Amino acid sequence: DVKVTQSSRYLVKRTGEKVFLECVQDMDHENMFWYRQDPGLGLRLIYFSYDVKMKEKGDIPEGYSVSREKKERFSLILESASTNQTSMYLCASVTGGADTEAFFGQGTRLTVV
Amino acid sequence: GENVEQHPSTLSVQEGDSAVIKCTYSDSASNYFPWYKQELGKRPQLIIDIRSNVGEKKDQRIAVTLNKTAKHFSLHITETQPEDSAVYFCAASYTGTASKLTFGTGTRLQVTL
């Protein structure tokens, strides 16, 4: 079974803090994604990466950055957390090419106070 | 970029009835259309997908249809059961280098007894 593991299930941070959300996959997948999930807005793509040290902006990258130093690990960084970044964050891992099933992590519910 | 619209946002059906969820996409280059089911408190999981060279695909009680000309695709669930209650997301992607998935806003399906 593919495992995608996010470092925290719940996080509470203060406005202005730098926040790191970690995601690790164990299946040697090329592509990794960060989404945020908000009621009525579905899953919106923040950033994605198709190779080590490669990253591309998704649809809502403002206020976020990412790091992919190793193939199995993809980190989402909130440089200065704000209350409008309170959300559920989901990491996903995809094999790539013709095989495109996305495997999701369990999600991190981030609250910024 | 790709834009996926999904309707309805909520759907309530009686057990045993059918449910239909519809999505439209904007990018004619998209060639892969998966559907994900997210049960309460759990991560999204792939339930069925269809590629652009196929018009319909069926797996037991669920089926997906694709109309490339009109750029829309639909999920059909027959003989609904209480365990079908969940949020369903459609998505579209082009299976190129990054396999970037763009999701719809989700449909909350409630199956009542």
Side-chain angles (χ1 to χ4, degrees):
Chain A
D1 269 356
V2 174
K3 279 195 181 160
V4 181
T5 305
Q6 294 181 229
S7 53
S8 304
R9 192 71 193 263
Y10 300 95
L11 271 181
V12 180
K13 295 292 182 180
R14 294 194 180 278
T15 301
E17 273 194 85
K18 190 168 186 174
V19 181
F20 293 86
L21 303 183
E22 305 280 341
C23 176
V24 177
Q25 50 97 0
D26 67 355
M27 283 300 290
D28 203 36
H29 284 175
E30 301 289 337
N31 304 323
M32 296 186 76
F33 302 80
W34 275 106
Y35 291 90
R36 65 177 280 177
Q37 182 174 13
D38 301 287
L41 297 177
L43 298 164
R44 293 181 293 165
L45 182 63
I46 305 171
Y47 265 97
F48 63 105
S49 168
Y50 53 89
D51 201 350
V52 175
K53 295 193 187 292
M54 303 301 288
K55 60 186 179 185
E56 294 233 3
K57 292 181 180 179
D59 300 316
I60 52 164
E62 296 78 20
Y64 304 93
S65 62
V66 290
S67 171
R68 194 162 181 205
E69 296 295 320
K70 293 184 178 181
K71 193 174 187 179
E72 67 269 20
R73 187 181 298 271
F74 191 36
S75 303
L76 180 69
I77 304 159
L78 286 68
E79 296 289 342
S80 178
S82 64
T83 55
N84 62 12
Q85 292 178 309
T86 291
S87 186
M88 171 67 84
Y89 290 88
L90 285 164
C91 172
S93 168
V94 176
T95 307
D99 188 356
T100 49
E101 179 176 356
F103 294 88
F104 284 87
Q106 77 276 27
T108 297
R109 182 163 295 282
L110 172 67
T111 302
V112 182
V113 298
Chain B
E2 176 65 275
N3 181 50
V4 178
E5 295 192 358
Q6 182 172 349
H7 299 281
S9 57
T10 60
L11 180 58
S12 182
V13 300
Q14 286 203 315
E15 184 179 6
D17 287 351
S18 296
V20 180
I21 303 170
K22 298 182 179 181
C23 290
T24 59
Y25 62 98
S26 62
D27 190 348
S28 55
S30 289
N31 60 0
Y32 175 67
F33 307 93
W35 287 86
Y36 285 78
K37 176 184 180 182
Q38 186 179 30
E39 296 176 0
L40 191 62
K42 297 193 175 178
R43 66 193 77 190
Q45 291 194 299
L46 179 71
I47 54 170
I48 195 167
D49 57 16
I50 191 166
R51 297 184 187 274
S52 58
N53 57 350
V54 175
E56 184 173 358
K57 185 176 178 181
K58 196 171 181 181
D59 183 3
Q60 299 183 340
R61 294 186 298 106
I62 60 173
V64 58
T65 58
L66 171 65
N67 182 329
K68 281 192 300 182
T69 304
K71 295 206 199 80
H72 66 70
F73 56 113
S74 300
L75 178 71
H76 305 253
I77 306 173
T78 58
E79 300 171 25
T80 53
Q81 300 168 4
E83 53 265 37
D84 294 329
S85 295
V87 178
Y88 292 81
F89 293 98
C90 63
S93 90
Y94 171 69
T95 54
T97 306
S99 301
K100 176 181 142 183
L101 276 170
T102 301
F103 285 88
T105 50
T107 296
R108 182 173 296 280
L109 173 65
Q110 176 117 24
V111 180
T112 57
L113 297 172

